[in-house]
Structure formats: C-alpha cells, structure tokens
Amino acid sequence: MKIKDCLLYGLLLLSTLFVSCKDDNEVETPLSEGQGEVSFRFYERTVYTIDDIADVARLKVTLNRDGEDIVLPTIDMTTDGDERVSETLRLDVGIYDVTHYVAYDNKGDLLNEVYLPLNGKNKLEVKHDEMTTFYFPVNILEVQSSDMIKNKLFGICEEALGPDSTKWPKTWREENTDLTKWENLECEEDDSGNFLYLTGIVFDGKFKGMKKLPASVARITTLENIMIRDLEDFEEIPSELNESNIQSLEIINTSLKSLPDDLYMKNLYKISIIDSKLTEFPSCLSNQDKLEMLDLVGNDISEIPENAFDNLANLSQLRIQHTKISSLPANTFMKLYRVYTFDFRWNPNLSSLPAESPEKVTKFQGLLLDGCAFTDIPEVVQHAQLRTVSLVDNKLTSVDFSKFNYDFLDQLFLDGNDLKTFGKLQSDKMILLSLNNCGLSSIPDLTGMKNLRYFSATNNHISQVVEGQFKENTKLSVIDLSDNTSLTTVPADFGVYSESKDGRNVPVNLTAVDLDGCTALNWVVPADWCCIDGDILFGGNGDKQLSDRTVIVYNRNTGVTYAPCWNADCPFRLESNHYQLQFRQNFEEIWAEVHNN
C-alpha cells in the first residue's frame, strides 16, 4: 500500500471510529447512528504494574476488531474519586478486544507499556447510545527486558535451591542470553521469535530438593501458569501467591499435605493436585470464586466439607478420583450448576450421592462412578438430564430400569458388575451400551433400542447369537463379543440388519465385529460383507460418493474364516483371512472413528 493510501485509510478510520470529546464551551454533537460512548478507567486501590496510578496523565489504547488493530489517539486522564478515568470516546457499535496500552505522565514520559492477554476476558462491547466503561484488569502483562527476567529467575533459584548455582537447572545460566532456550519456561514471543514476557514455569526434577514454592514467583506479574511435578520433597505453597496473577496451578506427584488456609488467588481458574499427600479437602479452595477446573486425584482425602462448593459457582469441570471419600455434600449438583460431567471414579468407599433433583438450568450431563461401591443406581440418575452414566466395577447385581431418565440418556456403561441377567431396556435415545464382564449367559433383548450404534458384551458366558438377534438395531455399527469362550453358534449373517444390493445381502451400517478370543467359535464371514458400495452423502454443496467399504471382523484365536470375496477385483482381502495392511486397525481405532462420526 502506498504512503498516501495509508494516510487516507488512517483518516477514514479515525473519522468513522473515533470522535474526541468537545471543550466545555462547545456544543456537544449528538451521537451518530450506530455509535456508542466508552471511557477507560484504572481503579486506584488495585495493585497494577504501574507503581502509582495517579501519575498516569495520558493514555494510548489499542483495540482489535475482527483481527485488525485500531490505535486510538492519545487521551487525557483525570481523577474521579478512587479512579483514574479517561475522556469519553465515541466508537462504532460492536465488540472489541482491548489488547495494549501505553501510559504517559504529565511530562510526556512513558510510564508503562502493557499487553493484555487475548483470553476472552478483555472484551469491550459498544452499544448504540449507551455509555460503556472498561476497567483495566489486574492480570495485565508488563513487557520486561531479558535481564530483568533473568534476575528474577536467579532469585527464584536461590530461594528454592540455595546460592550454589551448580544445583540450578543447567540451562539457567548468565551466558545463555536467549531466554527462549531456557528449559522449563513458557513464554510469549513476537513475530520474529524474540522473547516478550514469561507466562509459565515448570518445577520438576531439575529442581530436586525444592521443599517450598519460592514466594518470589508472585512478583512476576506476567506469570500465569505454574506446574510442580515429581518432587518428592515438595510440601509447601506460600501465602504470597495471593499477590500473583497465577491462573493455573498444577501439583503432581509431590509430598504436599495442605494449602494455606488464607490462600486466595484472584485470577485462579484451574488447580490440580494429583498423587500427593492431602488428607483433607483444602479449606481455601472453597473461596476461589473464579475457579473453573478442579482436579483432586490420588490423595488421602476422606471427607468433603458441606460448604466446600458454596462459592464455586463458576466451576465447570470437577474431578475427584482415587480418594477415601464415601459421600458428597448436600446439593452438590445444584451448587455446581455449570459442571457438565462429574467425575468421581475410583473412590472405593463412595456408595451414595445426594438425593437431589437438579433443575433444568444445570448443565449436568455426565456422571462417572467407575470403581466405587454402589449397590443400586443413584437416585439422581432418575431426575437429572444425563446423557452419559458409567458405573463400571461397582457392586450392582441387578438393574432397576425405572431409575433412569431415558429422555436424554444415550451412553450407559455397566461393565464389571455381577448382573447375570439384563432385562429389556426401552430407549430411543440409547446409542451405546457396554456390558463387559457381567456374567451374562445370553445377549440381552436389544429390540427397544432403535438407535443403538455400539454394543459391547465382552468376557461373558454368552453361548450363541440367535437368528435375527440384531435385526431391529438398524443403525448398529460396532459389535464387540470378544473373549466369550463359550460362544459356539452364530447365524450365517450374524443376525444383523441388511438390505439387498444386486442380489447380495449387505449390512447397512455395520462397520466392525470383534470376536477375538472366542475360542470355541467356527464361523465363515459372509462374502457379501466385503466390497460394499459406498453410500451417497447428500449435502448443500453437492452430493458426495463415499468410498467402498468392508465389515472388519477380528478373529484372533478363533475358528472364524472369511469366505472369498464376491468381487474378483477386491481391494480389501489379499487372502481368505487377511486384510491389506492399510485396513489393519485395532478395534479401539475402529470404534473411535465411529464414535467421532
């Protein structure tokens, strides 16, 4: 673009986006159609990277809209009570990201230049004929020189490991001038790959002997993520983290026993404490009101306090696994109404849940209770609008179908329960049913599940597949009957739904059958299951012819063989029992493809 074109574009942009406020003696012009007003403010009592907010006399702000930067003209700042406030600006209606600002004092000297993170929290929405105020957030990112960052990192090492630099990470050396090459650091870089600012530190085996997280990490204002892992001596988090901008804290495989009672990290959205030594639910976690993700896995916690979730209304992910808990606080599901999936797997003492009826406003859709001690279906399953329920390896001996809400449920996992029998389940929503290792002697009646896509009943005592077993399940794509050593009899077409094509009986949706380990079974896979014409996918951008396919039958350690393909030019089978190399996917890969589609 030519220089004169750039100048003209700049003038047009300013004329449409920005009108500065008038002097007191001028008449205020009315807002144009499609414009709103905005001001920018700092709150005096909040700690920013600027030492003294009162020194800010002028401000230059950069916005971004639809990927295009908009640099506003320099604007004056004045005091309004406890706040510093800019002149009122006029902007076109719309949503902007506030990405950058430069602050000047009243002499025109630059006080600070700060980049704000593009994390969705720095949005500015301008509405027609309305006044909008944008408060600069606390987690602003101060651009610092490499030498400043190095000095802070040296201070962290000395606090964590002592003054002997030979015990520090090997790449953390004065002579290593390129910070992007230092180990265990996460940083933001400019378009040329130059270091801009530090965002994360990983404390791992390179910090062997560290017992306490250095308090000095709180003074790195750009730091957002801290991970502490595989440090057997580590056992303490400092209260000074209250002064930090940390957003994510992960502690894995350490000797941490507790967190400070007064810990409150104002920007913390994720905390994970995994395979450590917690014996109690940390009381400070109940006060982290910005928290969105909480993982407590592999700790000796035996009880969750009744008030644990009272202030965690923003939580959307909860995972409490491998603990000693036996119950949960009352109204857990209603308090945590943003959580989609509650993951309480592998808590061997957990045998009851709050008997509440979550209202429709909750986002509760998944309940994972594998490896717990339930003897019956929890009552909450009946009332919640769940899509996924997993009770693998519990103590169920029967299934009460009246305790399910079938209006939404589409995936049910009951593997590893001593059920012996499984009645008829009537559900048009169900797409996946897994009954592995349940002591079944026959395949359940599946005729009530018209939309079933995946059925698994491995490692049972099933002896036969009866004629027409899966005829009503017209959308069935994957059948897994592996390791049923008693299976001896199956019909010629395996009892699946098929249609006639050119005189051949073709399974319509069937993709894979797993019979591995069915040692007593002798069966010949039909020739018609090979070289099935690909369907036509109808779409708005034109119809698409899908590739020809075959039904894959896994037959390791069985007497199952393949009939020669009906097609002399078959691209799938080289011999009667083998596929070409590109089709040798394992069963899990086949299912993953079907499930994702």
Side-chain angles (χ1 to χ4, degrees), residues 470-486:
F470 305 107
K471 289 287 187 184
E472 299 298 322
N473 309 113
T474 59
K475 296 182 180 179
L476 194 59
S477 181
V478 177
I479 301 171
D480 188 356
L481 296 177
S482 59
D483 297 319
N484 278 282
T485 57
S486 301

Side-chain angles (χ1 to χ4, degrees), residues 459-463 481-488 516-521 557:
N459 195 26
N460 282 286
H461 308 298
I462 297 170
S463 61
L481 296 177
S482 59
D483 297 319
N484 278 282
T485 57
S486 301
L487 185 61
T488 59
D516 285 352
C518 296
T519 54
L521 179 62
N557 299 319

